[in-house]
Amino acid sequence: DAGVTQSPTHLIKTRGQQVTLRCSPISGHKSVSWYQQVLGQGPQFIFQYYEKEERGRGNFPDRFSARQFPNYSSELNVNALLLGDSALYLCASSGDGQGTDTQYFGPGTRLTVL
Amino acid sequence: GDSVTQMEGPVTLSEEAFLTINCTYTATGYPSLFWYVQYPGEGLQLLLKATKADDKGSNKGFEATYRKETTSFHLEKGSVQVSDSAVYFCALSDLIQGAQKLVFGQGTRLTINP
């Protein structure tokens, strides 16, 4: 079975632009979460979606938004990019997104903002 | 809020040495605990997990025991290999306001020399 897939692999944008990142979960998983990993740090929680509904949001500005589609894939959008948004963006999927459920990560999208 | 603290890195060992990476956590509930590993340029891979006190997670020769009394989840391996060189993240998973959120430590970079 395929794991979590993300696209694109790498992306270069300039300040002020907008970006959309995509994620496909493991087949059968209904929950998708997004994390931001700045170089040299642990990932930080951005969003969790389950059955197309937002379940939770981390401490990120409104420039960050996401959605989940009927096939459980997800998009993360970031508007008005800042230099500080440069990071590895990780998508994780889990079955039902409950506390003991394991989250499986994709390879990530490396975003560079110039 | 919930938090995870890992031992400071980087850690450099010789092949076949014994490995310990310390991890302690603070949580208001009863979280599940995880170790993830990240190889250069890749996403996170689940290494092992434990969902309740005194559970021992194990995989590929690595072990960690959920110690509620000391709020710890230290990672150990009896004999490391060069291929174990990577960054290791300790994490807790808890339901916070309806969302399953992973909280990560800062990561410990491990280098194994032949």
Side-chain angles (χ1 to χ4, degrees), chain B residues 11 13 24 26 34 36 55 57-58 66 70 73-75 79 82 84 89 91 97 109 111:
Chain B
V11 174
L13 296 172
T24 57
T26 302
F34 301 83
Y36 284 89
D55 267 3
S58 61
Y66 190 138
T70 55
F73 193 55
H74 305 321
L75 182 67
S79 177
V82 171
D84 294 328
F89 291 94
Q97 297 177 328
R109 181 175 298 278
T111 301

PDB file of all heavy atoms in Angstrom, chain B residues 11 13 24 26 34 36 55 57-58 66 70 73-75 79 82 84 89 91 97 109 111:
ATOM      1  N   VAL B  11      24.705  13.713  19.462  1.00  0.00           N
ATOM      2  CA  VAL B  11      25.307  12.564  20.124  1.00  0.00           C
ATOM      3  C   VAL B  11      26.124  11.794  19.096  1.00  0.00           C
ATOM      4  O   VAL B  11      25.629  11.491  18.013  1.00  0.00           O
ATOM      5  CB  VAL B  11      24.226  11.641  20.724  1.00  0.00           C
ATOM      6  CG1 VAL B  11      24.846  10.373  21.283  1.00  0.00           C
ATOM      7  CG2 VAL B  11      23.419  12.374  21.790  1.00  0.00           C
ATOM      8  N   LEU B  13      28.548   8.354  18.652  1.00  0.00           N
ATOM      9  CA  LEU B  13      28.955   7.085  19.251  1.00  0.00           C
ATOM     10  C   LEU B  13      29.711   6.248  18.225  1.00  0.00           C
ATOM     11  O   LEU B  13      29.589   6.471  17.019  1.00  0.00           O
ATOM     12  CB  LEU B  13      27.723   6.303  19.726  1.00  0.00           C
ATOM     13  CG  LEU B  13      26.885   6.907  20.841  1.00  0.00           C
ATOM     14  CD1 LEU B  13      25.617   6.095  21.032  1.00  0.00           C
ATOM     15  CD2 LEU B  13      27.672   6.982  22.130  1.00  0.00           C
ATOM     16  N   THR B  24      11.667  13.399  28.507  1.00  0.00           N
ATOM     17  CA  THR B  24      10.675  13.590  29.564  1.00  0.00           C
ATOM     18  C   THR B  24       9.550  14.442  29.017  1.00  0.00           C
ATOM     19  O   THR B  24       9.730  15.193  28.058  1.00  0.00           O
ATOM     20  CB  THR B  24      11.279  14.262  30.814  1.00  0.00           C
ATOM     21  OG1 THR B  24      11.853  15.512  30.426  1.00  0.00           O
ATOM     22  CG2 THR B  24      12.347  13.394  31.444  1.00  0.00           C
ATOM     23  N   THR B  26       5.623  16.650  29.853  1.00  0.00           N
ATOM     24  CA  THR B  26       4.639  17.275  30.742  1.00  0.00           C
ATOM     25  C   THR B  26       3.310  17.241  30.017  1.00  0.00           C
ATOM     26  O   THR B  26       3.222  17.675  28.861  1.00  0.00           O
ATOM     27  CB  THR B  26       5.012  18.738  31.057  1.00  0.00           C
ATOM     28  OG1 THR B  26       6.300  18.775  31.648  1.00  0.00           O
ATOM     29  CG2 THR B  26       4.000  19.359  31.997  1.00  0.00           C
ATOM     30  N   PHE B  34       5.588   8.518  21.598  1.00  0.00           N
ATOM     31  CA  PHE B  34       6.154   8.032  20.347  1.00  0.00           C
ATOM     32  C   PHE B  34       7.622   8.420  20.244  1.00  0.00           C
ATOM     33  O   PHE B  34       8.059   9.441  20.786  1.00  0.00           O
ATOM     34  CB  PHE B  34       5.420   8.659  19.146  1.00  0.00           C
ATOM     35  CG  PHE B  34       3.944   8.377  19.095  1.00  0.00           C
ATOM     36  CD1 PHE B  34       3.050   9.132  19.828  1.00  0.00           C
ATOM     37  CD2 PHE B  34       3.463   7.365  18.298  1.00  0.00           C
ATOM     38  CE1 PHE B  34       1.686   8.890  19.787  1.00  0.00           C
ATOM     39  CE2 PHE B  34       2.097   7.105  18.236  1.00  0.00           C
ATOM     40  CZ  PHE B  34       1.214   7.864  18.983  1.00  0.00           C
ATOM     41  N   TYR B  36       9.932   9.045  16.809  1.00  0.00           N
ATOM     42  CA  TYR B  36      10.012   9.107  15.356  1.00  0.00           C
ATOM     43  C   TYR B  36      11.481   9.311  14.983  1.00  0.00           C
ATOM     44  O   TYR B  36      12.251   9.925  15.720  1.00  0.00           O
ATOM     45  CB  TYR B  36       9.195  10.276  14.798  1.00  0.00           C
ATOM     46  CG  TYR B  36       7.696  10.057  14.777  1.00  0.00           C
ATOM     47  CD1 TYR B  36       6.912  10.397  15.875  1.00  0.00           C
ATOM     48  CD2 TYR B  36       7.061   9.540  13.654  1.00  0.00           C
ATOM     49  CE1 TYR B  36       5.533  10.213  15.848  1.00  0.00           C
ATOM     50  CE2 TYR B  36       5.683   9.359  13.614  1.00  0.00           C
ATOM     51  CZ  TYR B  36       4.933   9.692  14.715  1.00  0.00           C
ATOM     52  OH  TYR B  36       3.563   9.520  14.684  1.00  0.00           O
ATOM     53  N   ASP B  55       3.866   0.349  29.471  1.00  0.00           N
ATOM     54  CA  ASP B  55       3.989  -0.258  28.147  1.00  0.00           C
ATOM     55  C   ASP B  55       5.416  -0.108  27.658  1.00  0.00           C
ATOM     56  O   ASP B  55       6.043   0.934  27.872  1.00  0.00           O
ATOM     57  CB  ASP B  55       3.061   0.439  27.143  1.00  0.00           C
ATOM     58  CG  ASP B  55       1.717  -0.243  27.024  1.00  0.00           C
ATOM     59  OD1 ASP B  55       1.473  -1.220  27.746  1.00  0.00           O
ATOM     60  OD2 ASP B  55       0.913   0.219  26.193  1.00  0.00           O
ATOM     61  N   GLY B  57       7.502  -0.075  24.102  1.00  0.00           N
ATOM     62  CA  GLY B  57       7.510  -0.110  22.656  1.00  0.00           C
ATOM     63  C   GLY B  57       8.866  -0.599  22.182  1.00  0.00           C
ATOM     64  O   GLY B  57       9.887  -0.302  22.800  1.00  0.00           O
ATOM     65  N   SER B  58       8.879  -1.354  21.074  1.00  0.00           N
ATOM     66  CA  SER B  58      10.150  -1.849  20.557  1.00  0.00           C
ATOM     67  C   SER B  58      10.065  -2.022  19.051  1.00  0.00           C
ATOM     68  O   SER B  58       8.998  -2.328  18.499  1.00  0.00           O
ATOM     69  CB  SER B  58      10.537  -3.170  21.221  1.00  0.00           C
ATOM     70  OG  SER B  58       9.564  -4.151  20.964  1.00  0.00           O
ATOM     71  N   TYR B  66       7.221   3.440  28.841  1.00  0.00           N
ATOM     72  CA  TYR B  66       6.391   4.556  29.307  1.00  0.00           C
ATOM     73  C   TYR B  66       6.411   4.553  30.833  1.00  0.00           C
ATOM     74  O   TYR B  66       5.814   3.690  31.475  1.00  0.00           O
ATOM     75  CB  TYR B  66       4.977   4.323  28.794  1.00  0.00           C
ATOM     76  CG  TYR B  66       3.967   5.433  28.923  1.00  0.00           C
ATOM     77  CD1 TYR B  66       3.112   5.700  27.877  1.00  0.00           C
ATOM     78  CD2 TYR B  66       3.826   6.187  30.088  1.00  0.00           C
ATOM     79  CE1 TYR B  66       2.124   6.682  27.960  1.00  0.00           C
ATOM     80  CE2 TYR B  66       2.865   7.163  30.188  1.00  0.00           C
ATOM     81  CZ  TYR B  66       2.013   7.413  29.131  1.00  0.00           C
ATOM     82  OH  TYR B  66       1.052   8.377  29.225  1.00  0.00           O
ATOM     83  N   THR B  70       7.942   8.865  36.488  1.00  0.00           N
ATOM     84  CA  THR B  70       9.033   9.806  36.194  1.00  0.00           C
ATOM     85  C   THR B  70       8.741  10.628  34.943  1.00  0.00           C
ATOM     86  O   THR B  70       9.595  11.409  34.514  1.00  0.00           O
ATOM     87  CB  THR B  70      10.360   9.058  35.991  1.00  0.00           C
ATOM     88  OG1 THR B  70      10.191   8.069  34.966  1.00  0.00           O
ATOM     89  CG2 THR B  70      10.815   8.392  37.283  1.00  0.00           C
ATOM     90  N   PHE B  73      10.275   8.653  28.778  1.00  0.00           N
ATOM     91  CA  PHE B  73      10.131   7.671  27.693  1.00  0.00           C
ATOM     92  C   PHE B  73      11.483   7.605  26.995  1.00  0.00           C
ATOM     93  O   PHE B  73      11.642   7.971  25.845  1.00  0.00           O
ATOM     94  CB  PHE B  73       9.019   8.108  26.746  1.00  0.00           C
ATOM     95  CG  PHE B  73       8.560   7.069  25.769  1.00  0.00           C
ATOM     96  CD1 PHE B  73       8.133   5.819  26.178  1.00  0.00           C
ATOM     97  CD2 PHE B  73       8.504   7.360  24.406  1.00  0.00           C
ATOM     98  CE1 PHE B  73       7.686   4.860  25.277  1.00  0.00           C
ATOM     99  CE2 PHE B  73       8.053   6.413  23.485  1.00  0.00           C
ATOM    100  CZ  PHE B  73       7.644   5.168  23.922  1.00  0.00           C
ATOM    101  N   HIS B  74      12.495   7.133  27.683  1.00  0.00           N
ATOM    102  CA  HIS B  74      13.863   7.129  27.178  1.00  0.00           C
ATOM    103  C   HIS B  74      14.049   6.054  26.112  1.00  0.00           C
ATOM    104  O   HIS B  74      13.609   4.910  26.271  1.00  0.00           O
ATOM    105  CB  HIS B  74      14.858   6.882  28.317  1.00  0.00           C
ATOM    106  CG  HIS B  74      14.730   7.843  29.457  1.00  0.00           C
ATOM    107  ND1 HIS B  74      14.475   9.192  29.290  1.00  0.00           N
ATOM    108  CD2 HIS B  74      14.816   7.638  30.804  1.00  0.00           C
ATOM    109  CE1 HIS B  74      14.424   9.783  30.461  1.00  0.00           C
ATOM    110  NE2 HIS B  74      14.620   8.865  31.405  1.00  0.00           N
ATOM    111  N   LEU B  75      14.762   6.411  25.058  1.00  0.00           N
ATOM    112  CA  LEU B  75      15.032   5.490  23.952  1.00  0.00           C
ATOM    113  C   LEU B  75      16.363   4.798  24.191  1.00  0.00           C
ATOM    114  O   LEU B  75      17.357   5.454  24.523  1.00  0.00           O
ATOM    115  CB  LEU B  75      15.073   6.262  22.634  1.00  0.00           C
ATOM    116  CG  LEU B  75      15.290   5.434  21.366  1.00  0.00           C
ATOM    117  CD1 LEU B  75      14.091   4.542  21.093  1.00  0.00           C
ATOM    118  CD2 LEU B  75      15.563   6.350  20.173  1.00  0.00           C
ATOM    119  N   SER B  79      23.151  -2.026  20.741  1.00  0.00           N
ATOM    120  CA  SER B  79      24.313  -2.032  19.867  1.00  0.00           C
ATOM    121  C   SER B  79      23.955  -1.272  18.596  1.00  0.00           C
ATOM    122  O   SER B  79      23.245  -1.792  17.739  1.00  0.00           O
ATOM    123  CB  SER B  79      24.733  -3.469  19.538  1.00  0.00           C
ATOM    124  OG  SER B  79      25.816  -3.483  18.640  1.00  0.00           O
ATOM    125  N   VAL B  82      25.987   2.033  11.994  1.00  0.00           N
ATOM    126  CA  VAL B  82      26.168   3.272  11.232  1.00  0.00           C
ATOM    127  C   VAL B  82      24.840   3.716  10.617  1.00  0.00           C
ATOM    128  O   VAL B  82      24.533   4.916  10.557  1.00  0.00           O
ATOM    129  CB  VAL B  82      27.240   3.082  10.150  1.00  0.00           C
ATOM    130  CG1 VAL B  82      27.280   4.284   9.224  1.00  0.00           C
ATOM    131  CG2 VAL B  82      28.609   2.850  10.779  1.00  0.00           C
ATOM    132  N   ASP B  84      22.012   3.710  11.834  1.00  0.00           N
ATOM    133  CA  ASP B  84      21.126   4.362  12.824  1.00  0.00           C
ATOM    134  C   ASP B  84      21.350   5.870  12.890  1.00  0.00           C
ATOM    135  O   ASP B  84      20.622   6.574  13.601  1.00  0.00           O
ATOM    136  CB  ASP B  84      21.355   3.764  14.218  1.00  0.00           C
ATOM    137  CG  ASP B  84      20.938   2.307  14.315  1.00  0.00           C
ATOM    138  OD1 ASP B  84      19.975   1.923  13.613  1.00  0.00           O
ATOM    139  OD2 ASP B  84      21.577   1.563  15.073  1.00  0.00           O
ATOM    140  N   PHE B  89      13.184  12.025  17.282  1.00  0.00           N
ATOM    141  CA  PHE B  89      12.222  12.915  17.933  1.00  0.00           C
ATOM    142  C   PHE B  89      11.329  12.120  18.876  1.00  0.00           C
ATOM    143  O   PHE B  89      10.713  11.129  18.466  1.00  0.00           O
ATOM    144  CB  PHE B  89      11.320  13.613  16.898  1.00  0.00           C
ATOM    145  CG  PHE B  89      12.028  14.617  16.049  1.00  0.00           C
ATOM    146  CD1 PHE B  89      12.550  14.259  14.812  1.00  0.00           C
ATOM    147  CD2 PHE B  89      12.173  15.929  16.481  1.00  0.00           C
ATOM    148  CE1 PHE B  89      13.200  15.191  14.020  1.00  0.00           C
ATOM    149  CE2 PHE B  89      12.819  16.868  15.698  1.00  0.00           C
ATOM    150  CZ  PHE B  89      13.336  16.496  14.459  1.00  0.00           C
ATOM    151  N   ALA B  91       7.845  12.308  21.040  1.00  0.00           N
ATOM    152  CA  ALA B  91       6.603  13.069  20.890  1.00  0.00           C
ATOM    153  C   ALA B  91       5.505  12.482  21.755  1.00  0.00           C
ATOM    154  O   ALA B  91       5.510  11.288  22.052  1.00  0.00           O
ATOM    155  CB  ALA B  91       6.149  13.073  19.424  1.00  0.00           C
ATOM    156  N   GLN B  97      -8.870  19.860  23.010  1.00  0.00           N
ATOM    157  CA  GLN B  97     -10.031  20.544  22.430  1.00  0.00           C
ATOM    158  C   GLN B  97     -10.522  19.833  21.172  1.00  0.00           C
ATOM    159  O   GLN B  97     -10.819  20.469  20.158  1.00  0.00           O
ATOM    160  CB  GLN B  97      -9.702  22.010  22.144  1.00  0.00           C
ATOM    161  CG  GLN B  97      -9.371  22.794  23.400  1.00  0.00           C
ATOM    162  CD  GLN B  97      -8.978  24.239  23.113  1.00  0.00           C
ATOM    163  OE1 GLN B  97      -8.394  24.516  22.081  1.00  0.00           O
ATOM    164  NE2 GLN B  97      -9.296  25.133  24.041  1.00  0.00           N
ATOM    165  N   ARG B 109      20.244  14.718  17.294  1.00  0.00           N
ATOM    166  CA  ARG B 109      20.983  14.207  16.134  1.00  0.00           C
ATOM    167  C   ARG B 109      21.983  13.159  16.602  1.00  0.00           C
ATOM    168  O   ARG B 109      22.811  13.426  17.480  1.00  0.00           O
ATOM    169  CB  ARG B 109      21.696  15.348  15.412  1.00  0.00           C
ATOM    170  CG  ARG B 109      22.473  14.896  14.183  1.00  0.00           C
ATOM    171  CD  ARG B 109      23.058  16.072  13.425  1.00  0.00           C
ATOM    172  NE  ARG B 109      22.018  16.953  12.927  1.00  0.00           N
ATOM    173  CZ  ARG B 109      21.326  16.767  11.811  1.00  0.00           C
ATOM    174  NH1 ARG B 109      21.565  15.702  11.067  1.00  0.00           N
ATOM    175  NH2 ARG B 109      20.408  17.636  11.437  1.00  0.00           N
ATOM    176  N   THR B 111      24.966  10.472  15.468  1.00  0.00           N
ATOM    177  CA  THR B 111      25.948  10.064  14.461  1.00  0.00           C
ATOM    178  C   THR B 111      26.696   8.851  14.987  1.00  0.00           C
ATOM    179  O   THR B 111      27.220   8.885  16.111  1.00  0.00           O
ATOM    180  CB  THR B 111      26.940  11.195  14.156  1.00  0.00           C
ATOM    181  OG1 THR B 111      26.214  12.342  13.682  1.00  0.00           O
ATOM    182  CG2 THR B 111      27.941  10.758  13.103  1.00  0.00           C
TER     183      THR B 111
END
